[in-house]
Amino acid sequence: MITLLVLATLAVGSPDVPAPGPVARTFPPDDLADKLVTWFRTAARAAPGTWGIAIADQEGRLLWGINPTQPLIPASTVKIFTTGFARSVVGPNARQLTRVLGSGSLDSATGTWTGTWALEMNGDITLERGDRSGPTLIDLARRLSANGVKRLTGPLVVKRANGDEADAGYPAVWARRHWGRSFAPMVGDLTLNENAISLTVAPGSRVGAAPVLAGSSPHGLGPLVTIRARTVAGSRNRLAYSRQASGRWVVSGSIGVHARPRTYTGISNNPRAVLEAAWASAVSAAGIEWVPTDAIGAATPGGTPIVLAQVQSLPFDSVAREVNARSLNIGAELMLRWAAGDSGAARLTAHVQQVTGDYTGVHLVDGSGLSSDDRASPWSFVSYLAAMPTWPGGENFAQLLPANGTGTLRRLRGGPMTETGVVRAKTGTLGNAATLAGYLGTPDGVLVFSLMYNGPRVYDARQQQWRLFKMLGANGVVIPTDVAEALGGTE
C-alpha cells in the first residue's frame, strides 16, 4: 500500500485540497521528495507557464501536488471523462445500428420495394473504414439483398433514430482554424470512414493516357473524382489534389508511366455526397438496382416502418479503446452523442462533478478536448481516475486507456517501461497545453496522476512530463486487469 507524503510548500494555490490520511511511511523511494523538487525547478525553467500536478494513491489521497485544484485547459485528456461517462450510460457491450427502414411492400416475384425507404445512421465511428474493422455499406446492402430486395426507387433519405434528418457539422466550440484538418472532421450521425476519404491514383497504361482511379475509401467515390492529370514518361509523381465546395475532388498534374500509385488522404467537406456515391456502389455490388429519382415513393397508408436490413458497430469498449489509443476527436464526440445526444457537454460536466465532488474545477464544452474553453483541474482528474473503477459501469476502466508502448504512448518503452501495462494513460496536446493523466503501477500499489501545463512551451513541457513519468515508474509493475480490486474498490 502506498503511503502519503504531501509537500505543502509546493501545493501553492490549493488550500481546499482534501486533507491526507495518516502518514505510515515515506512515499518510496526515500529520496523522491528531493527529486520531485529538483524536477519541478528544472521543468519550470524549461517551460515557463502555469503548471498543475496531482499525484495520488489508489484511493485518491493526494501524495504530492503543484496547484492541484487550479482549473486548466486539459486538451485530449478530456477523453478520459468522456469514456467513463459514455460507458456508464450505454454499457461496455453496447452497439450502434445502421439500418435500412421501409414503409411499403415487397414484390416477392421481382424483388421490387414499393413505398418509402431510408437509411438510418446513428454516428457509428466504425462504419465503412477501409482497412480497419467495422461494418460496411456493402455488408448492409448484401443483407438487404438476402432479405429479397432487388430494386429500390427514390431518393436517398438519411435519418437518425429519432426521425430527424441525419447530418454532420463542425462543433461550434472548436476553433475555426481547426475545421477540416485531419484531426477535426465534421461530426454527426452521418459519419462514414470517420468522415475522411482516400483516393489512390495510378498512371495510365501509356504515355499520354489519363491516370486512373485505382481505389478509394470509402468504396465507390469514382463519380466524385475528376482526373485532369496526364501520364508522362519516367517515374516522377507530380499529382495535385483539390477539394471542391460541392464535395468533389479534382486531380491535376502528371504522373510517370513507371511511377507507383499515389494515395491522397483528406477530410470530406460533404459527407452526404460521399455517402450517396458509396451507397450507390454498395447496392450495385450486392446486385440491387437503385433508381435514384427525385420523388419519394408512396408509403402504405398507416404503415409502420420495418427494418429491411441492419449492421451493427463494434462494442463500446472496443470503440473506446481505439478512440483513446488514437486520440480520435471525432470518435470522442460521437461517443458523447451516443450517450447523451445533443446535451452531451452539460451532462458530461455534471457527471464528472458528481463522481469527483469537484464543482468548481470542471467545465467541459466538448467530449474530445479540442476546445480551449474546456477546464479541469489536476485534482479532478486524479479523483475521477481513483473513483471511476468503483462507479457503476466503471469496472476495468483503466484497460480502456492506452498502455505504454501503444497508441499515443508508443514511445514510452524501454528500461523499466519494457513491459506493456506498467502505464495506462492519456495524453493531451494543444498549441497552448500539454497534459498527461492516468494510472501507473508500482510494487507498492497503483498511482493515479495528472500532469498539466498551459503555456507557450508545449514541447519542452512534454519532455519534462516524460522525465517525471519515468521517474515515478522506475519500479513499475503491470496494472492488473481487475482494476476495481487493484484500486481498492468493490463490485
Side-chain angles (χ1 to χ4, degrees), residues 9 18 125 169 177 194 329 344 377 422 432 452 463 472 475:
T9 57
I125 191 63
R177 68 180 182 276
E194 301 171 7
N329 291 321
S377 69
V422 172
N432 58 350
M452 305 182 72
Q463 303 314 304
L472 294 172
N475 295 306

Side-chain angles (χ1 to χ4, degrees), residues 71-143:
L72 296 170
I73 300 170
S76 278
T77 47
V78 165
K79 294 180 178 70
I80 292 174
F81 298 145
T82 301
T83 299
F85 167 61
R87 191 183 198 236
S88 70
V89 174
V90 306
N93 299 313
R95 297 173 185 263
Q96 291 178 300
L97 298 177
T98 300
R99 310 193 293 181
V100 183
L101 302 178
S103 181
S105 60
L106 178 66
D107 184 332
S108 58
T110 64
T112 299
W113 177 259
T114 302
T116 62
W117 61 278
L119 283 183
E120 180 189 283
M121 300 184 70
N122 297 298
D124 176 6
I125 191 63
T126 69
L127 179 64
E128 194 69 38
R129 300 191 304 165
D131 58 351
R132 296 185 183 276
S133 58
T136 67
L137 290 180
I138 291 179
D139 294 335
L140 182 62
R142 286 173 177 165
R143 294 186 183 185

Side-chain angles (χ1 to χ4, degrees), residues 166-405:
D167 59 5
Y170 296 111
V173 296
W174 286 3
R176 291 185 66 90
R177 68 180 182 276
H178 295 324
W179 291 7
R181 300 177 70 180
S182 61
F183 56 84
M186 290 184 176
V187 177
D189 296 285
L190 203 169
T191 293
L192 207 64
N193 192 39
E194 301 171 7
N195 281 338
I197 65 101
S198 69
L199 307 172
T200 300
V201 175
S205 59
R206 56 182 175 78
V207 173
V212 296
L213 183 66
S216 71
S217 183
H219 294 292
L221 298 190
L224 299 180
V225 180
T226 300
I227 297 180
R228 295 176 181 164
R230 59 195 178 94
T231 303
V232 298
S235 58
R236 300 196 66 174
N237 194 325
R238 293 179 175 175
L239 294 177
Y241 297 80
S242 59
R243 184 177 61 181
Q244 309 299 300
S246 62
R248 299 183 60 86
W249 288 266
V250 175
V251 183
S252 57
S254 64
I255 183 172
V257 69
H258 301 299
R260 294 180 179 178
R262 180 179 178 182
T263 297
Y264 162 85
T265 59
I267 296 301
S268 170
N269 64 342
N270 192 334
R272 169 64 192 229
V274 170
L275 173 63
E276 190 149 354
W279 176 246
S281 175
V283 294
S284 176
I288 298 174
E289 179 188 5
W290 173 34
V291 182
T293 60
D294 292 334
I296 299 177
T300 302
T304 300
I306 61 173
V307 178
L308 301 178
Q310 70 179 30
V311 291
Q312 61 183 4
S313 71
L314 300 178
F316 176 85
D317 275 9
S318 294
V319 173
R321 289 188 188 97
E322 184 175 351
V323 167
N324 287 322
R326 296 172 56 201
S327 202
L328 193 62
N329 291 321
I330 182 176
E333 298 296 344
L334 290 176
M335 285 199 305
L336 185 56
R337 289 173 66 102
W338 188 356
D342 297 329
S343 60
R347 290 182 59 184
L348 175 62
T349 299
H351 164 79
V352 177
Q353 291 173 342
Q354 183 180 11
V355 173
T356 64
D358 184 356
Y359 289 86
T360 61
V362 180
H363 175 70
L364 305 172
V365 300
D366 68 2
S368 60
L370 188 55
S371 173
S372 291
D373 292 331
D374 289 313
R375 292 293 183 275
S377 69
W379 177 247
S380 65
F381 274 105
V382 297
S383 298
Y384 191 87
L385 289 164
M388 195 57 203
T390 66
W391 199 261
E395 57 275 7
N396 296 325
F397 177 69
Q399 306 303 312
L400 302 181
L401 304 181
N404 53 295

